[in-house]
Structures are given as C-alpha cells and as structure tokens.
Amino acid sequence: MAYIINKYNGSQLVTVEDGTVDNTTEIKLIGKNFAGYGEQQNENFLFLLENFQGTIAPTKAITGQLWYDATAERLKVYDGTNFKTTAGAEVSETQPVGFAEGDLWWNSVTNQLYGKNSNNEWNLIGPQATAAQVTEMKTIKLKDSSNVDRNVIAAYADDFIVEIISEAEFTVNVSQPDLGDEWSSSDWTTIKAGHTLRAVDVSGKSNTDSRGNVNYYWGTSSAALKLTDGTNTYGPSDFLRSGDLPNPFPQIYFGDDGFTVGDDTDLTVKIGDDDETPRIQMHRDKIRFTGSEDTKGWTITDLDIYPNDTTATIGNTVPLNNIYATTFTGTATQANTLEVAGNYRSASTSASNNSIAARDSSGNLTANIFTGTATQARYADLAEKYTTAEELIPGTVVCVCAHEGYEVEAASMGCIAIGVVSTDPAIMMNSEAEGQYIGLKGRVPVRITGPVKKGQAVYVHDNGCANTAINGGSLVGVALETNSDEAEKLVECVLKV
C-alpha cells in the first residue's frame, strides 16, 4: 500500500508507491518494502545533520528547509522563493530579492550595510562613502593635553577629518593612538567649543593644512566675532563704527591747514589764503599718479599731462564723451567719420550715398557701381539676363525663343544654343533687367544625358540638355570632367556658343 506523505501544515506533498524511492525533495522518501533502504536512510540523516552544506543551493528545496552556504559561510532558510540568511546580513555584490522589512544586506563591492524598509526599498545604513574611503559624521574620542578623553563629532571626507564639533574648548594632545592616517597633529592644536576647521590656529585664522589646503566656511555669515584679510584677524576694537564719527559717515575732518604728504612737504592739500578755496599744491616740478610701479602712470606739470609709459590708456570700457584738441598725433583705432576731400563721411555696409564702403558680417562689400579693373572673380562665367516663359533650372541649354513675349527657352534639336542657365555668374550684365542669368562665356555646369569624357564636345540634344552625339545639334561646349552615368546630371563645361 502506497505511503501518502503530508507536510507539517497538513497539505499533501507526495505519494510514495510500494518498493520505490521518491526524489521530490533533497530527502529521499522510501516506499514500503523497498530493499536496501539503509544507505539512503542514513544519507538522509547525514544531510539533515550538515544542513545540506555546499557551495550550490539545493535545487529541490521546500519552504522552511535549511542550507549551509559554504561560500558565504552562512546558515540560510528557504522562504519559498529564495534562501535567506538566518543570522547577520545577506552578503552579495548585487541587491538580493525576496527579502522582507527589517532584513539586512552587506554590499561586498562597496562595503556598505543596507536595511529593507516598509516600502520594499533598501536604505543605506552606512558608511556614507563607498569602497575604502570614509565620508561621514562620526563620534570619536580625542585626548586633550592632560590625556583625558574628549567625546567629539568628526566630519570625515575621503578618510580625512576636516572639521570637529566639540561641546567645550580644549588643547589637543599631540599623540592620538586611537586614530590612524586621518589624524595629523600639525593640523590640530586647539579645539574650540562649537565648530573647528582643520588647521585653524588659536586666533581663529585658517592656515594651510598638511594636505596643502586652506579650509573655510564658504557662504555668507550674518555675524562674526572676527574678520580676516587672509593674513591677520581683526575684532570689533580694530574698526570704527558709524556712531563713533561725526555724521554723515564716513568723513574725516582737517583744519584749513589740511595735510601734507612726503618728508619734504612734496604735496600739500589745504585751504588757500582766501580761507575758502581748496588748493592742491605741488612743492616740486611735477606730480605723478601711479600704480604699483613708479615708472608707469601719469605725470602732471604746470603745463602738461602725459603718461609715463607708451601703453597708457585714457578711459576704460566706458568711452569718454568728448575730447577737444587742435591736433591729435598718433593712431586712432576707432572713429565715427573720416575726412574725404574736406567732408567727413561715415562707413556703411549698404550702398549709401557719400559713405565709405565697409564689409558686412560676412565680409562682403556692397556698392551700386564699381569703377576700375577687376583682377580676380569669385565665380567662373560671364552672364547676361534674358527673359523666360518659366523659371529654368541651372545648367539648362537655351536658344532664342520664337514667342514674342520672351527671349529664350530650353534648347531642343535643331536650334542654335546661345548659352546655359548660370548658377553663380562672375560678371552679371543687365543686372537690373528682368529674367534669368544666361552664361555666355566661361565654365558652367551643363545638363547632360548619357556618359561623357573630359575633353569631349557636347551638343544640343533635347529639353534643355546636351549630349555627346552630334545629330545635327549645335555645339554647346567642351566637358571639363568625366561622368559615366547614363542619366541626366550636371557636368562642368567650358562654353563654346
């Protein structure tokens, strides 16, 4: 009679027939009257004793089954989906799945501990920085000069302490045996009550630390006990407040005798003999206004004002309104107008009357008429405007039109070619007339059907195209390039019309 095997909760797992062994689970279930069951029965006990120890998880696990993971050296229990660590944290390189709220996971790549929250998310517990470096706020003990432990909070950034928060002020002991490379005795002398930055001396000034940095609080402070210029620190007694001076502030009052600069009274600022006129008096032949170098700047004498250096500038990015002089000697980099035959003319990028031609943003010059000889041209052909019944595409061979309303049309067999619709003419004749520019001389792209070789003559063919076949057509030009394409294309030619 077969055995019916039930789970602890009463549900049926499997039926084992007489004289057979069932392998549904990792434990072999032995049927009635199976011969030689002793070995398998003993292995079952052994598997249970060692909790199925191995590097690979049991493949036929059932809920509640234990397995000792020999790789992780952890005892794990099967929850129906995954094996979960029974004690401590799950250790893996990637986030484990199937875990419940409160479970822990140790990321073996970043060496960080995570906990599962009620939203099924992994929250970082610590440390804050990944890999070997620590970036976090951490409670540590510092020994003071009396070798007494002081509890403080240290701000770590990449394994180095950059700030210490303390409840009381104390002098730091040079020796800190509980700390490693993150501590540098040269950077810490006195810890103040509150926040103390790395390499701040007893006066409160930030200095260069052992790593070559100067640490500050960056931002705007609404109040401070002292101010620093980077070298010295200054407290309230080093400054004059507005209430300490006559109103309005700031003002400094001198008597009519004014003040004198220089051992030999080189410069005197005072009130003149009429008791009301201010006077700046030079007791030598000149006064100089200079910067950090005495050889530069400006000099004022009784008659002249001149710079001490040829690179001096009058004004700055904000231009002066007007400077008047009979003659300016030198080079002007800017001017509103230039004198031309007694008249002052300004520059223009358009063809304006009585103006000086100037290049536009593309470097082009515009004028109504250029008088003179051109030694170069940007484009390659000479073209003239002729009227057409419709807009002809570039490269179209044209002949004289029989229609009285237009002058040229697309050439066809039997007509005499007079030119080709130009793309970019070098010389444009009758530019103010209506019509299209027709290239008469030079090199232009020509619509050609059939293959053509460089140096071959091309003749009027049909529908404004040319071809190497004569067929009684008039000569259009000579090909300047080879093209084996049978279809219509543009081939650059030198015109021979």
Side-chain angles (χ1 to χ4, degrees):
M1 179 177 171
Y3 291 149
I4 296 176
I5 309 301
N6 295 322
K7 295 182 180 180
Y8 181 78
N9 61 10
S11 63
Q12 181 178 328
L13 174 66
V14 69
T15 298
V16 183
E17 300 294 336
D18 291 355
T20 63
V21 175
D22 184 85
N23 293 298
T24 300
T25 68
E26 302 294 343
I27 296 296
K28 297 177 178 64
L29 302 176
I30 301 171
K32 185 177 180 181
N33 296 325
F34 178 77
Y37 65 86
E39 178 181 350
Q40 299 193 43
Q41 190 75 8
N42 289 331
E43 286 181 348
N44 284 343
F45 291 139
L46 181 59
F47 293 165
L48 292 172
L49 183 64
E50 66 176 358
N51 295 313
F52 303 95
Q53 184 272 147
T55 58
I56 300 175
T59 59
K60 295 179 284 186
I62 63 175
T63 302
Q65 180 175 334
L66 296 176
W67 164 53
Y68 183 78
D69 185 344
T71 301
E73 298 182 349
R74 293 283 191 278
L75 183 63
K76 300 184 177 182
V77 62
Y78 191 69
D79 64 358
T81 304
N82 301 289
F83 277 98
K84 297 169 58 177
T85 302
T86 59
E90 177 73 10
V91 179
S92 65
E93 295 182 357
T94 58
Q95 288 186 1
V97 295
F99 278 52
E101 180 182 357
D103 288 339
L104 299 176
W105 163 50
W106 178 259
N107 188 324
S108 58
V109 175
T110 63
N111 292 324
Q112 291 174 298
L113 182 65
Y114 291 81
K116 200 66 172 288
N117 65 19
S118 59
N119 295 324
N120 201 32
E121 299 170 334
W122 289 105
N123 285 347
L124 175 64
I125 298 174
Q128 297 298 314
T130 61
Q133 294 179 324
V134 176
T135 299
E136 62 182 352
M137 301 295 287
K138 184 177 179 181
T139 299
I140 64 172
K141 290 184 182 293
L142 288 181
K143 293 187 179 297
D144 63 15
S145 56
S146 300
N147 214 34
V148 175
D149 287 337
R150 300 292 189 113
N151 292 320
V152 297
I153 297 175
Y156 281 76
D158 291 343
D159 280 345
F160 286 91
I161 301 175
V162 296
E163 179 185 11
I164 290 175
I165 304 174
S166 174
E167 179 272 335
E169 179 178 338
F170 62 92
T171 302
V172 181
N173 196 317
V174 175
S175 176
Q176 299 293 335
D178 294 336
L179 300 177
D181 293 338
E182 72 268 30
W183 180 262
S184 174
S185 59
S186 63
D187 291 335
W188 305 97
T189 55
T190 300
I191 304 298
K192 297 286 188 178
H195 294 254
T196 303
L197 291 176
R198 187 184 183 102
V200 173
D201 60 26
V202 293
S203 70
K205 184 172 73 71
S206 294
N207 299 283
T208 303
D209 63 20
S210 57
R211 301 186 70 192
N213 299 319
V214 179
N215 301 286
Y216 296 102
Y217 283 110
W218 294 100
T220 301
S221 174
S222 61
L225 293 178
K226 290 190 175 183
L227 299 176
T228 178
D229 58 7
T231 302
N232 304 299
T233 56
Y234 303 95
S237 61
D238 297 311
F239 296 91
L240 292 176
R241 295 180 299 171
S242 61
D244 296 334
L245 294 176
N247 189 46
F249 175 82
Q251 290 185 4
I252 300 176
Y253 290 94
F254 294 93
D256 286 352
D257 290 337
F259 62 89
T260 299
V261 178
D263 294 337
D264 299 325
T265 62
D266 298 318
L267 176 66
T268 300
V269 178
K270 64 177 183 178
I271 299 300
D273 295 337
D274 58 3
D275 294 331
E276 61 182 21
T277 304
R279 175 181 294 177
I280 299 176
Q281 186 173 353
M282 295 179 295
H283 295 270
R284 297 192 180 184
D285 60 345
K286 63 185 68 174
I287 183 173
R288 295 186 178 92
F289 296 92
T290 66
S292 58
E293 299 181 40
D294 288 339
T295 57
K296 296 183 178 181
W298 292 79
T299 297
I300 300 176
T301 67
D302 291 340
L303 299 176
D304 300 306
I305 300 176
Y306 57 87
N308 301 328
D309 188 275
T310 57
T311 61
T313 301
I314 298 177
N316 50 26
T317 56
V318 180
L320 300 176
N321 286 334
N322 296 292
I323 298 177
Y324 295 94
T326 302
T327 302
F328 287 97
T329 302
T331 302
T333 60
Q334 295 182 359
N336 289 332
T337 60
L338 292 177
E339 183 183 1
V340 179
N343 297 313
Y344 291 93
R345 299 182 180 182
S346 60
S348 175
T349 57
S350 62
S352 301
N353 294 339
N354 297 317
S355 65
I356 299 170
R359 292 182 177 87
D360 61 18
S361 59
S362 301
N364 298 324
L365 285 173
T366 302
N368 293 329
I369 297 175
F370 286 97
T371 301
T373 302
T375 59
Q376 292 182 347
R378 181 178 180 179
Y379 301 110
D381 61 293
L382 179 148
E384 185 176 9
K385 275 192 176 180
Y386 290 87
T387 57
T388 57
E390 59 183 357
E391 187 76 13
L392 300 178
I393 63 175
T396 299
V397 181
V398 299
C399 64
V400 175
C401 177
H403 193 282
E404 292 296 333
Y406 307 100
E407 295 174 327
V408 296
E409 64 182 358
S412 58
M413 191 74 69
C415 72
I416 300 174
I418 67 164
V420 175
V421 177
S422 177
T423 55
D424 294 299
I427 300 175
M428 296 175 284
M429 298 188 297
N430 289 335
S431 61
E432 297 182 0
E434 295 183 355
Q436 290 184 258
Y437 280 109
I438 306 301
L440 306 177
K441 291 295 180 182
R443 52 199 295 169
V444 293
V446 179
R447 294 171 57 201
I448 292 179
T449 59
V452 62
K453 294 183 179 179
K454 183 180 180 180
Q456 273 190 299
V458 292
Y459 301 86
V460 171
H461 183 57
D462 191 24
N463 194 29
C465 293
N467 193 281
T468 56
I470 301 175
N471 294 331
S474 67
L475 179 64
V476 176
V478 178
L480 293 174
E481 54 184 329
T482 299
N483 193 313
S484 60
D485 190 358
E486 290 284 348
E488 179 184 322
K489 64 277 178 185
L490 288 174
V491 177
E492 190 170 21
C493 300
V494 58
L495 295 180
K496 292 295 182 180
V497 294

